[in-house]
Amino acid sequence: MKTSLRLSPRYGVGEPAAFLEQSAFWLFVATLAWAPFPLGSNRPWSWALLTLLVACSWALWCGSIWRKPERAGFLLDGLRGPAILAALAMAWAIVQVAPFFPSSWLNLLWQSTAALTGEKVASTISIAPWRSTTEVMKLASYVMAAGLARVFARSRGGAYRLLDAMIVIGALYAAYAFALTLIGQSQFELFYGVAMPQTVHEFPGPFVNRNNFATYEGLTAICAGSRLVAKIWSHIDAAHGMRVRALSLLHYLAGKGAVWLVATLLAFSAVIMTGSRAGNLATWFATFALLFIGFGLVSRQKRKGLAIGLIACVIAAGLGLLAVNGATLAGRLDDMAGTTDTTRLLLWDAALKMIQHAPVTGWGLGTYQLVYPLYATASMHFFMDKAHNDFLEFMAGFGLPAAILWWGALLWLAVLCAQGIFIRRRHRVLPAIALGATILVAIHSIFDFSLQMPAIALMYAAILGVGVAQAFPAIHPLESP
Amino acid sequence: MSVRWAIRVGLLIPAAALAALAIPRLETGLLLEKAFPATAYIETNTPLPEASYREVAHILADASAGDPETLLLQAEAAINAGASPATIIPDVKRALAKSPSSARGWIILASLWTNTDPAKAAKALTQAFNLAPREYYLMLPTMLVGAPLWHDLPDGVRTGLISDARLLAEDEQRRGQLRLLMARPAGADLVVRAFAGRPEALRQLNRDLAREKLGL
């Protein structure tokens, strides 16, 4: 990694601006490092703290451009479309919790509550405005995080610095998960002193749920693996002859590339060790999607043979990792064939009914747990607080129009990243990582709720911000090395 | 000049808004963390010593007034700690006015109104039942509060209570909850109604309970 202090083109003037920008960057990195530790930041105090840290980082960056605030205009360059879609969706999120609708327009529950209690009711579209406001707060913090990542990644050096930080953080958490398993502890027990022996062997890392940790490490694996493969390619492509290429590869992997190799192996191992079926499906699918895209790119450059060799090595390494770490995953795949667990189907069915009954307005972000009992068809021995399908749950809470606007914004950004892979001549690995991360979280969201874990959403927002920042051809002279 | 200030303010407003939203949530979240795991035990109807309820009620008394679910949790802890219903009813009503879909909140309100206004208590319990007719962790509280309100409840709720009482009686894992129900006013009557037309099953249940009590 280069040690230059310059993250991105200077907006402000003089040392204070540079200091503030540096502080904003390192606070952001520290936030990314902290986020998974308190059980994925999925507790009221920890997601509120995360929001505060992101807001502080943003405020520091605002301080860095205080003297020339017009420099912030670059934030929307090439992004006006998705920005408008996201802004409209966020505006609807605010309307959902605004108390200015007459009770007769809204859910009958407000009227009956007013009649029974004699109290003045909140009268919002959301049936739980405090919860919905909390979700709006979280969404806004993720947008802010993506904006910060775009700021810091505006230069190539800054982009790699932020990406490398996320890779190192993810790899360290993978190592931490192995350490916890070795000592027979779970993060939950460390926090609360309540033993949960059944979760220790599920390999949840700093999270409570193994599926969430699989997504987190899947994102790390995509980042680290893509970085590694891109670096390997640049080394072997520059060499001539099989023997020289092999030596060049070994020299790289034993030297500068060791960090990325270890990070990649740790992250992929962690994903496999969780035994999460959907997590593995999402990670491996995203990985092979990126390999396929990469193969398509090098085919145009008539390097097919070399590419096939590299892909074969990646597949062999993956199979090796599965052989070493895949016992739990194999067991869970076997279980899947024999089980008749219909819990997810019940949850999805309830979500579909919620959407059917409030398709336009939604019930309010974050209200699934409160609305589910209305549509439950069986009594289950759990708190059914998530639909295990982020798409359905989001539509049920947000309403279809707003959900489409939000996903439209994300899809637009993903398409920009995909375009960037083909438009950029160098450093296309950065938008490729963002595309791979989007594929991963989209697939996992069909079966689970990983994006509702603030630590994972924050990491994804940062990756997307980096990818979008580097999806456009370099035009600023300060972006050159 | 004014454009620059507009940009500065426009960039800072989101951060300020997020901070304004996050700070009360951080404060309440830290209080909830302090009260954990007692709060989880309350939500799963696990009996605690009175001192634990008192401590939870004391900790959560400083929670944000805007968070209705924490207010309801605090109210439930206070009730179990022996607080007077008259002091808790206004808080519960205010919390429900902000989060009317909380079935547990309606059960709490029903329990507070039972002695002073059974008709209103029955309406509140009916609201809870309609919101969550099959919620596992609300079955016991619904039966405990519903048993003494039997004569004021509509037929639909009565049918639900009988069905839940039967399920409870037939589940050997939940014998402790069954004993709790039978020890409450009209609780035993509810169990008897659940076995209407099945006298032998009721006698068997009695024998099982007696044997368990004697450790046989």
Side-chain angles (χ1 to χ4, degrees):
Chain A
M1 275 193 278
K2 292 188 181 166
T3 54
S4 164
L5 288 177
R6 220 160 94 180
L7 290 162
S8 52
R10 286 204 184 167
Y11 315 110
V13 177
E15 289 303 314
F19 173 74
L20 286 169
E21 192 185 333
Q22 286 291 323
S23 302
F25 175 79
W26 288 113
L27 178 59
F28 189 61
V29 170
T31 304
L32 286 166
W34 160 254
F37 192 77
L39 303 169
S41 289
N42 192 36
R43 294 289 183 274
W45 72 271
S46 46
W47 66 54
L49 177 61
L50 213 62
T51 300
L52 270 176
L53 290 171
V54 171
C56 286
S57 186
W58 179 268
L60 284 170
W61 171 68
C62 290
S64 76
I65 59 166
W66 192 258
R67 294 182 72 171
K68 294 199 176 188
E70 60 274 11
R71 299 284 190 126
F74 83 93
L75 268 176
L76 291 179
D77 284 352
L79 299 179
R80 280 179 221 283
I84 289 169
L85 293 180
L88 288 171
M90 291 297 292
W92 175 249
I94 293 168
V95 166
Q96 277 193 322
V97 299
F100 50 58
F101 291 96
S103 297
S104 53
W105 288 18
L106 308 170
N107 194 301
L108 290 174
L109 205 44
W110 291 110
Q111 285 179 309
S112 60
T113 300
L116 257 176
T117 61
E119 294 281 328
K120 189 172 181 303
V121 294
S123 288
T124 58
I125 290 172
S126 167
I127 58 158
W130 175 268
R131 274 197 184 217
S132 295
T133 307
T134 303
E135 293 304 307
V136 175
M137 178 190 80
K138 288 187 210 171
L139 273 185
S141 70
Y142 305 148
V143 172
M144 196 171 270
L148 281 168
R150 171 152 167 69
V151 165
F152 301 135
R154 190 164 185 241
S155 73
R156 192 185 66 239
Y160 280 116
R161 198 167 288 110
L162 183 55
L163 179 70
D164 293 345
M166 286 193 277
I167 292 171
V168 169
I169 291 166
L172 286 173
Y173 273 114
Y176 179 68
F178 279 107
L180 282 176
T181 304
L182 272 172
I183 64 174
Q185 283 269 5
S186 69
Q187 189 79 336
F188 191 91
E189 187 175 350
L190 285 179
F191 265 77
Y192 299 118
V194 176
M196 286 180 70
Q198 70 278 14
T199 64
V200 173
H201 301 292
E202 289 179 355
F203 206 77
F207 293 79
V208 173
N209 184 306
R210 65 166 127 205
N211 298 325
N212 301 141
F213 188 50
T215 306
Y216 182 80
E217 287 298 330
L219 290 173
T220 305
I222 293 290
C223 293
S226 300
R227 191 94 161 91
L228 179 68
V229 167
K231 278 286 187 184
I232 288 173
W233 181 259
S234 67
H235 273 81
I236 62 177
D237 193 36
H240 297 285
M242 280 298 292
R243 190 168 169 277
V244 173
R245 282 185 174 137
L247 283 172
S248 176
L249 174 62
L250 285 169
H251 185 257
Y252 173 70
L253 290 177
K256 285 184 186 175
V259 173
W260 312 127
L261 178 64
V262 169
T264 303
L265 291 174
L266 273 174
F268 274 105
S269 296
V271 173
I272 297 167
M273 282 284 292
T274 62
S276 166
R277 293 164 294 203
N280 274 274
L281 171 69
T283 302
W284 292 105
F285 190 94
T287 302
F288 282 107
L290 289 180
L291 283 173
F292 181 76
I293 291 170
F295 183 75
L297 282 169
V298 300
S299 295
R300 294 196 306 184
Q301 298 165 14
K302 296 180 182 158
R303 295 273 197 280
K304 261 190 205 170
L306 201 55
I308 289 171
L310 183 55
I311 290 172
C313 289
V314 169
I315 292 173
L319 288 172
L321 286 175
L322 276 165
V324 170
N325 301 304
T328 307
L329 179 61
R332 293 200 79 222
L333 288 170
D334 282 340
D335 289 344
M336 204 166 82
T339 55
T340 54
D341 184 15
T342 55
T343 310
R344 272 195 173 85
L345 294 175
L346 289 172
L347 294 165
W348 295 350
D349 183 58
L352 284 168
K353 285 177 184 154
M354 289 180 210
I355 295 165
Q356 212 176 347
H357 289 143
V360 176
T361 61
W363 291 83
L365 281 175
T367 58
Y368 183 84
Q369 183 179 4
L370 294 174
V371 183
Y372 170 80
L374 272 171
Y375 297 100
T377 52
S379 179
M380 304 296 287
H381 195 171
F382 309 105
F383 283 112
M384 311 300 249
D385 59 344
K386 303 273 191 287
H388 285 255
N389 181 308
D390 275 343
F391 295 105
L392 290 178
E393 190 171 335
F394 198 65
M395 278 192 281
F398 219 5
L400 285 170
I404 290 168
L405 284 170
W406 184 257
W407 291 331
L410 287 176
L411 186 63
W412 197 321
L413 294 174
V415 167
L416 284 172
C417 291
Q419 273 181 350
I421 296 171
F422 295 98
I423 290 171
R424 293 216 63 168
R425 294 175 63 191
R426 295 189 299 165
H427 310 294
R428 48 178 61 143
V429 68
L430 295 165
I433 287 171
L435 180 65
T438 304
I439 293 171
L440 189 160
V441 298
I443 291 175
H444 202 251
S445 293
I446 296 171
F447 306 102
D448 230 320
F449 48 86
S450 288
L451 276 180
Q452 292 189 53
M453 296 297 111
I456 295 172
L458 192 72
M459 186 176 185
Y460 172 61
I463 293 171
L464 192 59
V466 169
V468 166
Q470 291 292 317
F472 303 98
I475 53 168
H476 199 293
L478 288 174
E479 289 173 350
S480 308
Chain B
M1 189 73 168
S2 60
V3 170
R4 279 189 163 183
W5 271 105
I7 296 172
R8 286 177 185 131
V9 169
L11 285 173
L12 278 176
I13 280 175
L18 284 185
L21 289 173
I23 289 169
R25 284 162 173 80
L26 176 61
E27 287 170 348
T28 299
L30 288 170
L31 293 173
L32 284 167
E33 201 70 5
K34 205 172 161 187
F36 187 84
T39 46
Y41 289 134
I42 291 172
E43 286 172 329
T44 53
N45 311 317
T46 308
L48 295 172
E50 198 176 289
S52 296
Y53 291 121
R54 214 175 301 122
E55 196 187 344
V56 170
H58 176 69
I59 290 169
L60 297 184
D62 292 328
S64 170
D67 181 353
E69 289 173 58
T70 303
L71 285 178
L72 289 169
L73 200 49
Q74 195 271 342
E76 189 170 349
I79 293 167
N80 289 329
S84 155
T87 59
I88 301 172
I89 288 174
D91 290 336
V92 174
K93 281 162 57 175
R94 271 196 295 273
L96 284 168
K98 290 176 184 152
S99 184
S101 55
S102 171
R104 199 172 187 100
W106 287 108
I107 295 171
I108 293 170
L109 187 59
S111 73
L112 293 167
W113 275 337
T114 296
N115 293 332
T116 54
D117 195 335
K120 268 172 89 173
K123 283 183 182 166
L125 191 70
T126 303
Q127 185 89 314
F129 185 81
N130 290 336
L131 284 168
R134 293 177 192 84
E135 188 70 1
Y136 180 87
Y137 288 111
L138 294 182
M139 283 180 180
L140 179 64
T142 306
M143 284 188 280
L144 291 173
V145 174
L149 294 171
W150 181 262
H151 298 290
D152 295 289
L153 291 172
D155 289 340
V157 180
R158 287 182 185 180
T159 307
L161 286 179
I162 286 174
S163 171
D164 290 345
R166 194 176 301 137
L167 282 171
L168 183 66
E170 290 168 355
D171 186 353
E172 288 181 17
Q173 305 287 330
R174 296 164 75 185
R175 278 287 190 261
Q177 292 185 359
L178 179 63
R179 284 184 217 284
L180 186 63
L181 174 63
M182 291 176 68
R184 290 289 181 94
D189 294 338
L190 178 59
V191 176
V192 168
R193 286 192 184 99
F195 285 89
R198 297 166 60 199
E200 191 46 46
L202 186 61
R203 278 193 279 271
Q204 183 60 46
L205 177 65
N206 257 330
R207 284 193 285 270
D208 290 341
L209 289 173
R211 256 201 301 274
E212 284 162 21
K213 197 172 177 184
L214 293 169
L216 297 174

